[in-house]
Structures are given as structure tokens and as C-alpha cells.
Amino acid sequence: MEYSLGWLVALLCIHQCIALAHNSVVSGYQIGVGRADCTGPPVEIAFMGYAQLSQKGEGIHLRQFARAFIIDDGQKRVVFVSVDAGMIGNAVKRAVLQQLTKEFGSIYHRDNVLISGTHTHSSPGGFLTHLLYDLPCLGFIKETFNALVIGIAKSISRAHKSMTDGRLFISETEILDVNINRSPSAYLNNPEEERSRYKYDVDKTLTQVRFVTSSGRIMGAINWYPVHPTSMNNTNKLISSDNMGYAAVLLEQEYNPGSLVGQGEFVGAFAAANLGDVSPNIMGPKCQFTGESCDVLTSSCPANAGQCFASGPGSNIFESTKIIGTRIYEGASRLLHQQSGEEIVGEVNYIHQFVNMTQMKLKHFNPKTKTVEEVRGCFPAMGYSFAAGTTDGPGAFDFHQGTTTDNPLWNAVRDLLAEPTKDDIKCHHPKPILLATGRAKFPYEWQPKIVATQLLQIGDVVFVAAPGEFTTMSGRRLRNAVRNVALQTYEKDVKVIICGLSNMYTSYVATPEEYTSQRYEGASTLFGPHTLTLYADQFVKLFLSMKGEEKIDPGPEPPHLEDKSLLTLQTGVLYDGHPYGHDFGTLKVQPKAHYVPGDTVRVVFIAANPRNNLLHEDTFLRVERRDEARNVWTTVATDANWETLFRWTRTSMILGLSDVEILWEIPLGATPGTYRISHTGFYQYIFGGKFPYNGTSQAFAVDQEG
């Protein structure tokens, strides 16, 4: 059948009219979105993720942001926050709620606020309060902790103040060439019948919840996609929100035209899902020096071949981050442009409970033995393969993934710190225990025993606050468990979204079958081989209680470790100095007179330590263009932009001297004209007090391309 041009025009008009009418109906929801800067100390603090003390910050490539979303049906309200951070700690959430209580009273509380970390490995650590997680960062870092708390609370406050009538829509799209399974041998331990239900050994679906005002304006979007933000590997020393953060920057720049990064009304988050065994380094693992393939089971290399590293798809970590982030962004942008999907309608609800995982027991049918057996949670412990690291970031010493036997020497070292009981060893089998963290008490708790579990419900969509890194199959089983109980009990299908690394961190959750291979994910599964089974049972119970409007016991309160004298070996800034005759902000390297798009401008300033003031909602650098018509300088880029780089270097420890290097890669299509680069900071006076300074480069011209 063929249509004339007139028919096509008529159909387009009808389609647009229906779309406008569809988007203009007032929903039963009040919705709000907000964003705030939560960048931690950019220098001298070790990053959280790769557990390498040598990976200390030297500056900023991309700032960290918290992005908050509020949904209210007139009866109940829920909040989801995605944060450019490695994960979220219970102490951080508790402090955020204390801030919100001061401003809003009892509106926001533990039960209805869900905070999720994106899991970037390129942000400052030292905020989880448990010793094992903070120790690689030299202990608790108050600067990092406060930056997260203030930024998250501010993002929720802004979302609260933006609330308006609106509607929610959920849609999905498949994105390929972004992620691979970094432990395929462990994944293959899962039953063949189960694996045959899925096309890939990682999930490749991006799920989006779109926030639309009653007038039809797209207010924001949450996008969940399972991939580790580890395109920036453990050689990186610049704060970065990595691939997921870059995707957020791109989406927000598209929908906030003319606004600087981190500004504008539209808020777009890219949040963590079941990313436990999922890598963005899609070229796969290779031996460092020879380029040959690593051993599949152990991720090890022959002698003198170097470590086993995964990389790609770019030629370096910056290019790989950009490619992966762009591909994820393009999928999300495509969904927003299509404005497709199902509308979310129905009640808003929530439920929260703390559980002591070491006391959890249940009867479980073992499909392998065809018998019902009692399974339980073990005291926390980390296996030998934990020390091996992953192909995204190999560990230290001569540890290998897939280790199921122990070593008397390492056991002796382990026992000096904390000795596991015979029951611990039996409970964790086949994991050989390298660190009996559940038995360690000095100077305080090493890893959590009491865990936060939480569900949020918006209509037929359920958010599962996963307190750790669930592997691909663990996430699938957890989704299916909640979905199946909804179908069986209420004869209603629900869409279940795994919100990874939420509320508190308990390392990894592998399936019992994956656990037996003791790859990194299994060795880091904290409560033993049945950790997933216990979590799935707990979330099913929560769902039934929430749907039945039952009042539940809030559970045992986790220890308030932040109230203790937490270990910290990180020194503060004592003083800053500058060379005689040259003040802070003086240019050491000026830009050239002329550049074209694609060139990189480099300037160097005499500077002070950026830890003196983190300049939240501000910037350490500005790229400014001269507006000749108005005779003013206009900021076109800051330290939150992809094309800028801010690096700090200590030039004399004794004299307190330091430099700041600023790079600006001129974007293709940059407006020709006159530009300059400025730097702002604060210096610590030797006799006390912090004082501002600034410096500005000489002007330079950006000419037409080519």
C-alpha cells in the first residue's frame, strides 16, 4: 500500500496532536529533580575502588555530582539519589538524613530515601567508616565524607524545591559493544538451563525512567545500565566520574543547551545496576608485556609476561572512557527522543529493614542434590582471590583468581590479625579465608554484619536497594524472585530494577555456583556461598510486607562507627608557600598566541593546595571567551568539562610550594575569538587562616578550523 504526501502530512499532524495531548495530562504524581556538586578532595587522598595507596589524587578531570529524584503520590513520597562515588556507606546516609531533618523535619527518613553510588573507581575514598574499606585510603577522611553528605543533601533539597505535577514513563533499549563478563568461567558454573534463557553472559539492557512535567517538558531521567565505571584504570590519578558520569554530562548538556556542566534544570543520572562481574574494557584481558591471552580460570600470565589487564575499546583510558560513555549516552538519548515506553501509574510505597546477615538462616531447596537443606550466613571473610584483584585492576603479590587452597604462611599472617573459627572455615567452604574480617575488632569493625535492605515502589515498578555488587546472574535471580512473588501472590507483574551499591556497602554477591570457582567476585562475597539466597529471601519478605502494609521490626541498628575515634593517617594541609617575588596565581607557563580547534592549550600557575577549599558549586579553572559586543568575559568551560584537565603538583614539601597545570583541548566547532584561562584557589597561611587567590593567563586567539 502506498500513501500520498498529503496522507503522510495528515498522519504526522495526528501523531503530534496525540503526543501533545498525552504529555499535557496532569498526573497523580508530584515529581522533583535536583543536582549538586559533591566532589571530594582532589589531591593527596587515595581513590576508593582499586585499593592501591599509590593511586592518590592529583587533580580533576570530571567533577562528582549527586542527582536526586523525588516521586510523591499525595500519600507517600520516595527519593532516589545517584551519586558519582564508589558506593554509599551507612554513616553517609545517616548524616544526609540528619541534614534533611534540620531543613524539612520528618519528611525524609531512612525508609523512603535510597542512595546509590555509581561505583566510579576514580573518586576519593575514606568515607565508609569500616576499617577494611577505608584502610587503603589511610583511614577515615572527613573531607571526603563531608563533601558527599553536603552534596547529597543539597541535591535532595533542590529536588524538593523543584517539585511539580508530572508523569513518569519507563522504557528500555539494548546497548551493545559496551560491556563484557570479566569472570566468564565463573558464569559458566551456573546451570546450563538457566544460562540458556539469556542471550548474553551480561545484561545489555538500559532501563530508563523519564520524568515529564504536566506541560510536557522532560524534567529528568534515571538510566540504569550494568557496567563497572573502570574505563579509567588504576593508573589514573585524576578525579573522574568515569564512563557513567561522562554519559550523564553528555545527556545534561544536550537537554541544558547553553548551560555549564552541572547547571541547568534537566537532571540526567546513570545509575549502577547488577554490575558485579561486568567490565567496560571490551577488548578483554591480555598479558601486560606480551599481549597474549591470560589464563581463563586464574587471570594470570606466564613468567615475565606481566600482569593480566583488560582494556579498550580506545587506545588509552581517556579514549576508552569517552567511547563507552558516549555509547551509553546515545542509548539513553534515543529513548528520550522517542518518548516511548509505558506510563508508570499507581501508588508510591517503601519499606526498610536492617538484618544481621550472620544470624540469617532458612530452608532452601538445592536443585543439585534435589533436597531441602538449611543455609545460613557466615561471619564476614574475604578469600585469597580477593587479593588477586580483577582484570580491571590486578592486585598485589602473587595471588591468583580461582584460588581454592590456602597457604600456611599467609594463614599465619591472617591469624595475627584475626583468626577464623573452625565454623567460619566450614561455613565459607570452598573459600580459603585470607582475612577473617568478621572476627576482627581492632581498632573497630572491619566489615559490616548488619546490613540495610530496602524497597521502593512506584506503581508497578520496584527499586531493589542492593547493598553491594551483584553479579549478572545474581541480579537476574533477585529480579526474578521479587517478580515471581508478585505474580504468585497478587497475580500482577512488576518491573524490578536492581539499584546497585545502595545505602551501605557489603562487597560482592555471587551466585552459589559462581562462588565455588572463587574468582574475585566469589572470594569477595562476604557472608558465604548462600549470601544471594539469603538476600533474595529477605527482599521477597520485604515485598510481601510492603504490599500487605505490614509494620515490620526495623531490625538491629548498625554501630555508629562515625561517632568513634576513627583511624586516620592522612595529614592535613600545614601551610602553603610561594617563591620569593612571585605570588600565588602567577603564571609560570603562558599560552601561545594562536590555536585552532583540536589543539590543546597548556598553562601553569604558582598555586596552593586545592584541599584548602574544594570550591563546591564553583571551579578551580575557567576557560573564558571575550564577548566583544558586551565587553565582558564569558565562561565557556570549567573543571567539570571533559575537555579540561586540572593537575596539581607539589614542587617543594619543606617550603610548601606547588604548581597547577591546566589543559584545555579546544573542542571541534569552538567559536573563533579571544580566550583566556584563569585559576582560583585558597592558600593556607603558615600562622593560620585560609585566603583566596586567583590568576589569569594572557589572552590567546582561537582561529577558524583548518
Side-chain angles (χ1 to χ4, degrees):
M1 181 180 258
E2 296 181 2
Y3 288 98
S4 69
L5 183 59
W7 271 105
L8 289 173
V9 172
L11 283 172
L12 286 171
C13 289
I14 292 169
H15 178 270
Q16 290 300 315
C17 290
I18 292 172
L20 288 170
H22 180 68
N23 282 333
S24 64
V25 177
V26 176
S27 164
Y29 294 130
Q30 283 266 307
I31 58 175
V33 301
R35 175 185 52 249
D37 188 348
C38 61
T39 307
V43 302
E44 299 184 316
I45 308 301
F47 289 165
M48 178 64 202
Y50 294 115
Q52 293 201 3
L53 183 58
S54 61
Q55 193 191 15
K56 290 185 177 181
E58 294 180 353
I60 297 175
H61 186 227
L62 291 174
R63 276 191 175 256
Q64 300 170 255
F65 291 98
R67 295 174 172 92
F69 302 81
I70 301 176
I71 305 102
D72 189 312
D73 68 354
Q75 299 296 320
K76 290 186 177 180
R77 175 176 298 193
V78 294
V79 182
F80 175 82
V81 189
S82 178
V83 188
D84 291 330
M87 59 285 291
I88 296 300
N90 187 58
V92 170
K93 180 173 177 179
R94 188 158 47 220
V96 167
L97 294 175
Q98 289 170 354
Q99 294 284 330
L100 294 173
T101 299
K102 293 176 184 177
E103 187 173 3
F104 301 111
S106 60
I107 295 175
Y108 302 106
H109 46 83
R110 184 174 60 200
D111 296 1
N112 71 348
V113 175
L114 189 164
I115 309 176
S116 170
T118 63
H119 203 40
T120 174
H121 284 39
S122 292
S123 63
F127 58 88
L128 290 175
T129 69
H130 287 94
L131 186 68
L132 184 71
Y133 299 135
D134 286 350
L135 196 57
C137 306
L138 293 180
F140 180 70
I141 308 296
K142 193 172 183 179
E143 296 161 89
T144 309
F145 183 88
N146 288 342
L148 289 172
V149 170
I150 293 169
I152 295 168
K154 188 175 291 185
S155 74
I156 297 173
S157 176
R158 287 174 174 168
H160 177 99
K161 293 169 184 176
S162 77
M163 291 185 72
T164 184
D165 291 330
R167 308 170 72 188
L168 303 177
F169 299 86
I170 187 167
S171 54
E172 293 181 343
T173 189
E174 187 177 74
I175 305 177
L176 305 179
D177 300 323
V178 165
N179 57 3
I180 61 170
N181 196 308
R182 70 184 186 191
S183 288
S185 59
Y187 179 86
L188 288 173
N189 277 354
N190 294 308
E192 183 179 358
E193 182 276 329
E194 182 181 33
R195 288 185 280 111
S196 68
R197 299 180 216 153
Y198 304 98
K199 188 175 180 180
Y200 304 105
D201 61 1
V202 293
D203 289 336
K204 293 184 179 289
T205 298
L206 181 140
T207 301
Q208 180 181 94
V209 172
R210 183 169 79 250
F211 288 63
V212 183
T213 68
S214 57
S215 64
R217 177 175 63 88
I218 299 177
M219 193 179 195
I222 315 172
N223 304 276
W224 288 269
Y225 190 82
V227 67
H228 256 77
T230 49
S231 293
M232 304 292 287
N233 66 26
N234 60 16
T235 65
N236 172 54
K237 296 185 179 181
L238 299 172
I239 287 180
S240 172
S241 51
D242 212 288
N243 46 50
M244 295 289 270
Y246 181 55
V249 168
L250 290 175
L251 192 63
E252 290 183 342
Q253 284 186 311
E254 178 186 354
Y255 280 84
N256 295 317
S259 296
L260 294 173
V261 173
Q263 299 180 16
E265 294 182 348
F266 175 88
V267 177
F270 286 77
N274 51 322
L275 51 68
D277 54 358
V278 189
S279 170
N281 297 304
I282 60 177
M283 287 169 59
K286 304 290 182 184
C287 293
Q288 186 177 4
F289 301 135
T290 65
E292 60 187 299
S293 296
C294 310
D295 181 79
V296 174
L297 298 178
T298 64
S299 292
S300 59
C301 291
N304 302 318
Q307 290 184 304
C308 177
F309 267 104
S311 63
S315 60
N316 58 58
I317 58 177
F318 292 95
E319 187 178 347
S320 293
T321 301
K322 189 171 187 178
I323 293 170
I324 295 296
T326 299
R327 288 174 181 172
I328 298 170
Y329 148 73
E330 287 172 346
S333 177
R334 185 167 61 248
L335 285 179
L336 282 180
H337 283 287
Q338 291 171 351
Q339 296 194 30
S340 58
E342 298 180 13
E343 183 170 6
I344 302 173
V345 294
E347 67 175 356
V348 169
N349 212 340
Y350 51 80
I351 194 166
H352 181 287
Q353 187 177 46
F354 288 116
V355 293
N356 188 329
M357 291 293 287
T358 67
Q359 297 175 3
M360 301 259 306
K361 296 180 181 180
L362 60 90
K363 299 289 186 181
H364 173 68
F365 177 75
N366 187 331
K368 200 169 187 179
T369 62
K370 309 295 184 185
T371 59
V372 175
E373 56 188 38
E374 184 176 80
V375 299
R376 62 191 175 102
C378 311
F379 266 64
M382 305 298 272
Y384 272 61
S385 297
F386 156 73
T390 72
T391 55
D392 289 334
F397 303 105
D398 193 28
F399 289 97
H400 300 296
Q401 296 195 62
T403 299
T404 55
T405 56
D406 56 10
N407 176 292
L409 176 61
W410 284 113
N411 284 354
V413 174
R414 171 199 69 194
D415 293 347
L416 288 174
L417 299 171
E419 186 175 359
T421 66
K422 290 183 179 179
D423 185 63
D424 291 338
I425 294 171
K426 179 182 177 182
C427 189
H428 279 278
H429 181 79
K431 176 199 290 180
I433 296 176
L434 178 65
L435 293 172
T437 53
R439 300 296 175 184
K441 298 178 181 178
F442 179 79
Y444 43 83
E445 193 172 75
W446 282 37
Q447 284 182 301
K449 301 181 184 72
I450 298 171
V451 178
T453 61
Q454 181 188 29
L455 297 176
L456 303 184
Q457 178 191 354
I458 305 103
D460 293 333
V461 179
V462 178
F463 293 1
V464 178
E469 302 177 57
F470 282 62
T471 63
T472 297
M473 195 62 85
S474 289
R476 289 168 175 171
R477 289 187 190 177
L478 181 55
R479 281 198 301 260
N480 289 337
V482 175
R483 186 183 176 207
N484 289 340
V485 76
L487 286 168
Q488 294 166 8
T489 309
Y490 298 99
E491 297 183 351
K492 192 164 189 178
D493 200 2
V494 294
K495 176 69 178 179
V496 181
I497 298 175
I498 304 296
C499 305
L501 300 118
S502 293
N503 297 335
M504 72 188 308
Y505 186 59
T506 61
S507 292
Y508 281 75
V509 181
T511 68
E513 296 87 351
E514 292 165 348
Y515 186 93
T516 61
S517 68
Q518 281 299 290
R519 293 275 298 175
Y520 178 85
E521 295 81 14
S524 304
T525 295
L526 211 53
F527 305 109
H530 300 291
T531 300
L532 172 62
T533 309
L534 297 170
Y535 273 133
D537 182 72
Q538 169 64 11
F539 282 113
V540 164
K541 288 177 180 176
L542 283 185
F543 181 81
L544 292 172
S545 296
M546 180 177 67
K547 293 298 290 183
E549 295 291 341
E550 297 176 17
K551 284 211 166 191
I552 63 168
D553 185 332
E557 181 76 17
H560 289 218
L561 297 177
E562 69 272 27
D563 296 339
K564 298 179 179 291
S565 296
L566 295 176
L567 174 71
T568 180
L569 302 175
Q570 180 67 53
T571 58
V573 181
L574 299 178
Y575 59 89
D576 292 293
H578 56 80
Y580 179 75
H582 299 280
D583 207 349
F584 296 107
T586 300
L587 266 292
K588 293 180 73 172
V589 176
Q590 289 278 9
K592 296 187 297 184
H594 294 274
Y595 297 89
V596 296
D599 288 347
T600 297
V601 183
R602 177 179 180 266
V603 294
V604 179
F605 293 86
I606 293 172
N609 196 313
R611 287 173 59 194
N612 293 324
N613 189 318
L614 303 186
L615 295 180
H616 280 169
E617 310 290 322
D618 203 340
T619 177
F620 289 105
L621 71 89
R622 284 182 172 81
V623 179
E624 299 172 305
R625 184 179 68 245
R626 180 75 173 175
D627 186 333
E628 301 294 348
R630 296 189 298 147
N631 196 31
V632 295
W633 290 93
T634 303
T635 301
V636 298
T638 68
D639 60 17
N641 282 69
W642 173 266
E643 62 268 20
T644 63
L645 186 152
F646 172 84
R647 180 180 281 117
W648 176 83
T649 305
R650 173 69 75 190
T651 57
S652 172
M653 182 69 72
I654 295 175
L655 299 177
L657 304 180
S658 57
D659 289 345
V660 155
E661 177 190 40
I662 295 172
L663 302 179
W664 178 47
E665 183 180 350
I666 305 173
L668 300 178
T671 303
T674 302
Y675 290 78
R676 68 183 186 184
I677 294 176
S678 65
H679 163 54
T680 298
F682 280 72
Y683 67 90
Q684 172 74 52
Y685 187 47
I686 192 169
F687 296 116
K690 297 176 183 178
F691 302 93
Y693 72 89
N694 59 72
T696 303
S697 76
Q698 65 188 20
F700 56 91
V702 173
D703 301 322
Q704 294 279 358
E705 296 182 53

